[in-house]
Amino acid sequence: MLTVGGFYGLDESDLDKVFHLPTTTFIGGQEPALPLREIIRRLEMAYCQHIGVEFMFINDLEQCQWIRRKFETPGVMQFTNEEKRTLLARLVRSTRFEEFLQRKWSSEKRFGLEGCEVLIPALKTIIDKSSENGVDYVIMGMPHRGRLNVLANVIRKELEQIFCQFDSKLEAADEGSGDVKYHLGMYHRRINRVTDRNITLSLVANPSHLEAADPVVMGKTKAEQFYCGDTEGKKVMSILLHGDAAFAGQGIVYETFHLSDLPSYTTHGTVHVVVNNQIGFTTDPRMARSSPYPTDVARVVNAPIFHVNSDDPEAVMYVCKVAAEWRSTFHKDVVVDLVCYRRNGHNEMDEPMFTQPLMYKQIRKQKPVLQKYAELLVSQGVVNQPEYEEEISKYDKICEEAFARSKDEKILHIKHWLDSPWPGFFTLDGQPRSMSCPSTGLEEDVLTHIGNVASSVPVENFTIHGGLSRILKTRGEMVKNRTVDWALAEYMAFGSLLKEGIHIRLSGQDVERGTFSHRHHVLHDQNVDKKTCIPMNHLWPNQAPYTVCNSSLSEYGVLGFELGFAMASPNALVLWEAQFGDFHNTAQCIIDQFICPGQAKWVRQNGIVLLLPHGMEGMGPEHSSARPERFLQMCNDDPDVLPDLAEANFDISQLYDCNWVVVNCSTPGNFFHVLRRQILLPFRKPLIIFTPKSLLRHPEARTSFDEMLPGTHFQRVIPEDGPAAQNPGNVKRLLFCTGKVYYDLTRERKARDMVEQVAITRIEQLSPFPFDLLLQEVQKYPEAELAWCQEEHKNQGYYDYVKPRLRTTISRAKPVWYAGRDPAAAPATGNKKTHLTELQRLLDTAFDLDAFKKFS
């Protein structure tokens, strides 16, 4: 066998016809007449019935020798007749499924697999071999091409349920808005017929953003491994499918690869399968990538790359077996590049001849792989023609019978396509869980115990930094004084949930210490390298584990990963913290396509928490705003409709109906309560928290233990409790605000001696909007003007969300005025003096009782 750039499998006798050059040019070590890149390109194109292996970049001799043995040992690709018949049967199912859909729904988009029908037996081979090696749970992610075929012939979704998705007359169940059929996921537990072992398969739902599900699959895989104690990835694994153009072009692929070997993110190896149909929609490879191969990104993690001709099914099966064995042996990523073609256009309605006329003239001459392989097996005497035709007839009959059954369906159930079920969570003793939430307060001895651990080093012979000693001492003093700041409130919320058996995972850039050096959940010995201590894991004898992990410098990949982790179990608090709030915008795809609409599209609840530091503090446009306006714009409540305020458990019903919860707490105590409420609710919703920066150390941002004891709850609205509330008839203006600006307002109000004339009400929960509590506030101050005050610019922040809902609350009886910064393109100024001038101007507007008269 010949080695050229790490490729194996090409016979020396093939060289002349491949390169039109003497064989000795390559074997004798003479200078090639062609550039190496062109040699490799031609090698891939001319490989026909052979396999190409890239591994020379791998810097581990054992791994390289392992690969050599797999491809240089004579006779390694021998298959028994039974294996060949199984492969033929799988190709029949893959091919005839697509043909059946084309016959029945010729004008429907389905993003079929024609041209790479070998993908189905390839996936089944990976699963078979992995099951043989002990894997019992496989989590998969893929784009739309071939998804229906994978659902039918790999996951084994009922065919009638798939066919129902093509019936435009069926009404959807009122479980959500749904999604197109080629985005849906599935969860199924069945017997693997080859190994006779149970196997669970989960295909994660995916938006049109082709590679967006990659980190989600990784996170879900990591979680399933964590919960079953699979520390080496021997029981749970992931398979990711990719298109060639997306694999090379989408940055999230690179981000996901870079998580693959990080301690808190590794899933101990993923099998990547690239459906390389050598075109991206209408774009040629020469326009789609600068690298020789679409798979070159995998080199960054030393993953071996197997290029294989998809028209050689036996070569594909062998490569897939080797890939599964590699993952089982070395617990590292591996890539299978299925070099194939796309028989139709991008979808079945698309005309590819517009842009690739010569390619598609050749494709239309190409004999389908099933026909090729059937003819080969007939010629070898493995099967005869009647047996082959019987296999086809048998599967065609299965499809027709399922099609007939699909006609009996009257409604589409999105829940049948759920990719991450939570059995037992939504019921209690066989009955639906009560739509209520218990108190989120704690006994004082629990608060004190957690506070004492948070202010100490729970292990011996451990030297901490002197500055940290002062921080812990300050914490201890707060515990003695029965008060908490922001960091201690978070500590108590986490610690109490751990006591209750709830696993907590906090991830993001610099979260172990905290961007603002306030958290310090991981202590580092000052004298011993890599010696650390996590006091949170020393709270209780039988507590749940606490995972806190600094992430790579990635938002898109890491947030997707944590979303996937949160999918696996409702009994965990999974949090992702942005280094600064505005950094979430590089993960916007995960927010827009998964977190915001996930339940509506896929009936999939998720309790992930986003911690987004936010506040205008003169630090410039990039470290100020977490862009609350964007989250509020995507809330699904109607600003013009006043809900039924008399409904029992109105606040919980609101939470149940919303797509996510958005809060901006002004006190550590409320932050404590909202974190605990996230777990104590009988359902799960994403929680968006705009967290403070300067308030972390603000002397007034403290909460007494009294506000955290049994019977206390999260306060959706914190009403005025000063002199203004004692004489509400004398109040001239009622200011509504949220977050940090409250402290600016109270300071200014005191300086102006207006504590009896101006009342300040804090809206802590912005969405779902607290109509009921705000109506009470407005009615309490009948003579007061109403104004919304914010530190953000007028076209940003909360104003456009709050104003119409406040107007609806009061039946539009009064105007709602605005006190805040003027509209602007940037979130904040970069000039400190300008920042202070703007702040003073908004405070002047808020407390000038004549400011709005000219508009009346």
Side-chain angles (χ1 to χ4, degrees):
M1 307 295 282
L2 175 74
T3 305
V4 179
F7 282 80
Y8 287 84
L10 194 66
D11 295 326
E12 294 173 18
S13 60
D14 291 332
L15 283 174
D16 235 3
K17 66 180 182 180
V18 173
F19 299 106
H20 312 292
L21 293 169
T23 299
T24 52
T25 303
F26 301 94
I27 292 183
Q30 299 177 20
E31 185 69 16
L34 293 173
L36 180 59
R37 175 167 170 167
E38 178 65 13
I39 292 171
I40 295 174
R41 188 184 72 82
R42 290 193 185 188
L43 181 59
E44 182 180 11
M45 292 171 61
Y47 225 23
C48 299
Q49 310 301 319
H50 300 282
I51 300 164
V53 183
E54 284 188 80
F55 72 98
M56 294 299 284
F57 50 85
I58 296 176
N59 54 14
D60 186 296
L61 181 60
E62 178 192 358
Q63 295 175 11
C64 290
Q65 294 288 52
W66 187 92
I67 293 173
R68 287 193 176 100
R69 287 194 298 273
K70 293 295 180 182
F71 290 95
E72 289 189 333
T73 303
V76 292
M77 274 186 54
Q78 297 300 315
F79 289 84
T80 67
N81 286 349
E82 184 60 32
E83 288 173 328
K84 292 180 179 182
R85 283 191 288 268
T86 298
L87 173 52
L88 178 66
R90 288 173 170 180
L91 272 176
V92 165
R93 287 174 172 259
S94 175
T95 303
R96 299 300 288 182
F97 177 81
E98 298 293 355
E99 292 177 359
F100 183 84
L101 295 184
Q102 181 62 26
R103 286 198 308 273
K104 297 294 185 181
W105 298 282
S106 59
S107 60
E108 282 273 353
K109 289 182 183 180
R110 57 185 166 82
F111 296 96
L113 204 50
E114 292 93 338
C116 194
E117 294 92 342
V118 77
L119 175 67
I120 300 304
L123 291 175
K124 292 175 81 70
T125 299
I126 294 169
I127 293 169
D128 291 345
K129 192 64 181 178
S130 300
S131 174
E132 181 183 311
N133 290 329
V135 169
D136 56 27
Y137 193 172
V138 178
I139 300 164
M140 301 168 61
M142 68 179 297
H144 45 271
R145 186 161 312 285
R147 178 176 283 259
L148 296 180
N149 208 324
V150 170
L151 284 165
N153 289 313
V154 178
I155 310 292
R156 294 192 200 157
K157 176 72 175 173
E158 299 94 332
L159 291 178
E160 54 265 38
Q161 290 292 331
I162 295 175
F163 298 157
C164 281
Q165 293 290 324
F166 288 89
D167 191 341
S168 59
K169 296 178 183 178
L170 287 185
E171 295 182 8
D174 60 348
E175 299 161 319
S177 54
D179 200 351
V180 291
K181 49 190 167 289
Y182 38 82
H183 287 172
L184 299 175
M186 177 61 186
Y187 174 95
H188 186 46
R189 184 164 178 81
R190 62 174 174 81
I191 293 289
N192 182 289
R193 292 170 183 164
V194 173
T195 61
D196 201 32
R197 297 179 71 247
N198 277 320
I199 187 88
T200 300
L201 302 174
S202 175
L203 177 62
V204 172
N206 195 69
S208 286
H209 302 63
L210 297 175
E211 301 287 344
D214 293 359
V216 179
V217 170
M218 296 294 95
K220 179 172 167 57
T221 304
K222 182 67 174 178
E224 298 292 357
Q225 291 173 347
F226 177 84
Y227 293 127
C228 73
D230 183 15
T231 57
E232 297 180 357
K234 293 181 177 180
K235 296 292 185 183
V236 184
M237 68 170 288
S238 52
I239 300 175
L240 285 178
L241 280 69
H242 314 268
D244 54 317
F247 199 63
Q250 294 286 302
I252 188 59
V253 175
Y254 187 84
E255 290 190 37
T256 304
F257 267 117
H258 269 287
L259 296 176
S260 66
D261 206 27
L262 300 181
S264 296
Y265 301 87
T266 182
T267 57
H268 309 285
T270 296
V271 179
H272 299 265
V273 180
V274 179
V275 178
N276 182 0
N277 51 37
Q278 305 173 77
I279 188 171
F281 203 149
T282 66
T283 304
D284 290 334
R286 57 186 173 160
M287 306 298 183
R289 63 178 187 266
S290 296
S291 58
Y293 296 96
T295 53
D296 284 342
V297 65
R299 288 168 167 254
V300 300
V301 293
N302 286 336
I305 304 166
F306 304 138
H307 305 277
V308 59
N309 188 327
S310 292
D311 269 7
D312 185 346
E314 290 182 13
V316 172
M317 296 312 105
Y318 181 72
V319 160
C320 288
K321 285 183 179 179
V322 172
E325 288 175 7
W326 167 275
R327 193 259 169 202
S328 176
T329 303
F330 298 107
H331 301 288
K332 294 175 69 68
D333 284 28
V334 58
V335 178
V336 176
D337 179 21
L338 299 178
V339 183
C340 57
Y341 59 92
R342 190 187 69 197
R343 187 167 288 278
N344 300 313
H346 178 64
N347 61 65
E348 288 67 30
M349 304 295 98
D350 201 35
E351 176 51 75
M353 292 284 284
F354 289 150
T355 51
Q356 277 78 27
L358 298 183
M359 173 189 263
Y360 273 85
K361 284 179 183 178
Q362 184 64 37
I363 286 174
R364 285 172 183 176
K365 297 176 186 177
Q366 189 82 352
K367 191 181 293 185
V369 65
L370 173 61
Q371 185 181 342
K372 281 185 179 182
Y373 191 57
E375 290 173 356
L376 175 64
L377 295 194
V378 170
S379 71
Q380 293 176 346
V382 177
V383 297
N384 56 43
Q385 190 66 26
E387 288 173 332
Y388 167 56
E389 292 173 357
E390 182 184 355
E391 190 70 37
I392 290 177
S393 299
K394 185 169 66 174
Y395 187 68
D396 286 353
K397 182 181 179 183
I398 290 172
C399 290
E400 288 291 351
E401 290 174 349
F403 178 69
R405 289 194 299 273
S406 73
K407 296 295 184 181
D408 297 331
E409 295 290 337
K410 306 300 182 186
I411 197 166
L412 290 176
H413 292 283
I414 307 170
K415 64 185 178 183
H416 290 166
W417 301 79
L418 187 61
D419 56 14
S420 300
W422 293 339
F425 174 68
F426 298 102
T427 58
L428 186 63
D429 298 327
Q431 300 296 319
R433 294 180 66 178
S434 170
M435 198 61 64
S436 61
C437 182
S439 167
T440 47
L442 296 171
E443 296 291 346
E444 185 158 348
D445 62 334
V446 176
L447 296 174
T448 301
H449 173 70
I450 298 172
N452 288 336
V453 173
S455 56
S456 63
V457 181
V459 295
E460 296 180 355
N461 301 318
F462 195 97
T463 306
I464 61 173
H465 190 276
L468 187 53
S469 296
R470 291 189 292 274
I471 292 173
L472 298 187
K473 182 180 179 182
T474 301
R475 284 183 184 173
E477 291 170 353
M478 281 193 290
V479 173
K480 290 178 182 178
N481 294 327
R482 302 181 67 253
T483 61
V484 297
D485 64 0
W486 226 271
L488 199 49
E490 180 185 74
Y491 217 109
M492 290 179 172
F494 287 2
S496 60
L497 292 173
L498 294 172
K499 182 177 187 290
E500 295 161 18
I502 301 298
H503 169 237
I504 297 176
R505 178 182 169 93
L506 173 62
S507 163
Q509 295 158 24
D510 310 299
V511 296
E512 295 179 5
R513 190 202 74 171
T515 299
F516 311 103
S517 196
H518 68 291
R519 181 173 288 127
H520 298 286
H521 283 188
V522 179
L523 308 182
H524 294 258
D525 193 296
Q526 298 298 295
N527 300 319
V528 183
D529 186 34
K530 299 178 183 177
K531 184 179 180 182
T532 61
C533 171
I534 302 176
M536 195 87 75
N537 279 324
H538 296 264
L539 284 167
W540 321 98
N542 298 310
Q543 68 172 72
Y546 174 52
T547 304
V548 56
C549 44
N550 289 342
S551 74
S552 65
L553 201 65
S554 157
E555 288 84 25
Y556 190 171
V558 174
L559 179 56
F561 188 99
E562 301 309 332
L563 176 76
F565 200 103
M567 282 169 52
S569 172
N571 298 314
L573 184 66
V574 180
L575 309 96
W576 175 76
E577 182 175 68
Q579 191 179 65
F580 288 89
D582 52 331
F583 290 179
H584 75 75
N585 59 15
T586 61
Q588 201 67 44
C589 178
I590 297 297
I591 294 168
D592 289 355
Q593 313 307 134
F594 291 87
I595 299 177
C596 171
Q599 184 176 353
K601 292 198 295 186
W602 305 317
V603 201
R604 182 174 72 197
Q605 292 192 16
N606 195 295
I608 191 168
V609 179
L610 274 61
L611 303 177
L612 306 177
H614 171 83
M616 307 292 120
E617 285 149 344
M619 298 304 294
E622 266 66 63
H623 287 164
S624 296
S625 177
R627 293 290 190 174
E629 66 277 3
R630 295 183 178 174
F631 291 93
L632 294 172
Q633 181 195 29
M634 292 189 283
C635 295
N636 65 351
D637 60 328
D638 192 330
D640 303 318
V641 175
L642 186 68
D644 181 6
L645 306 183
E647 180 183 0
N649 295 314
F650 170 74
D651 56 334
I652 306 300
S653 296
Q654 266 197 313
L655 292 170
Y656 183 79
D657 292 335
C658 74
N659 60 318
W660 58 17
V661 182
V662 181
V663 304
N664 187 5
C665 300
S666 62
T667 71
N670 232 15
F671 181 55
F672 160 87
H673 283 296
V674 80
L675 290 174
R676 285 186 47 78
R677 186 185 72 170
Q678 184 70 355
I679 289 297
L680 295 179
L681 285 169
F683 47 82
R684 294 291 175 262
K685 298 286 178 174
L687 173 60
I688 315 300
I689 306 180
F690 301 116
T691 55
K693 294 173 290 183
S694 62
L695 291 192
L696 295 174
R697 295 177 176 82
H698 197 294
E700 294 179 29
R702 298 286 188 272
T703 296
S704 166
F705 278 14
D706 292 335
E707 298 174 50
M708 302 164 66
L709 296 177
T712 58
H713 296 262
F714 171 72
Q715 293 180 272
R716 294 177 292 145
V717 170
I718 300 181
E720 171 66 53
D721 61 355
Q726 308 305 317
N727 297 289
N730 296 332
V731 172
K732 304 300 182 185
R733 180 171 294 173
L734 173 57
L735 292 177
F736 295 100
C737 68
T738 187
K740 178 183 77 68
V741 74
Y742 168 76
Y743 294 92
D744 297 317
L745 291 171
T746 54
R747 185 188 67 245
E748 187 72 13
R749 181 176 63 174
K750 183 178 180 180
R752 293 174 181 246
D753 195 22
M754 299 181 71
V755 292
E756 294 185 355
Q757 296 170 283
V758 178
I760 303 174
T761 294
R762 288 169 272 177
I763 303 179
E764 303 280 291
Q765 178 179 290
L766 292 143
S767 180
F769 196 70
F771 291 97
D772 53 334
L773 299 180
L774 293 177
L775 180 60
Q776 295 174 18
E777 286 297 288
V778 172
Q779 292 173 343
K780 187 189 299 182
Y781 305 101
E783 305 300 320
E785 288 182 321
L786 307 181
W788 171 258
C789 184
Q790 66 178 37
E791 59 179 354
E792 297 81 5
H793 291 283
K794 190 174 185 179
N795 59 324
Q796 299 164 33
Y798 321 90
Y799 178 61
D800 286 339
Y801 175 85
V802 170
K803 180 180 178 179
R805 287 164 177 79
L806 267 177
R807 296 269 291 151
T808 297
T809 301
I810 60 174
S811 303
R812 297 168 182 79
K814 292 181 178 181
V816 177
W817 302 109
Y818 172 77
R821 286 180 166 88
D822 293 334
T829 177
N831 182 280
K832 186 72 172 182
K833 182 177 180 182
T834 303
H835 163 76
L836 295 173
T837 301
E838 291 174 344
L839 175 60
Q840 191 56 53
R841 187 181 301 136
L842 76 85
L843 294 173
D844 290 343
T845 304
F847 291 101
D848 180 357
L849 298 182
D850 296 323
F852 305 129
K853 289 183 178 178
K854 59 183 177 182
F855 301 113
S856 300

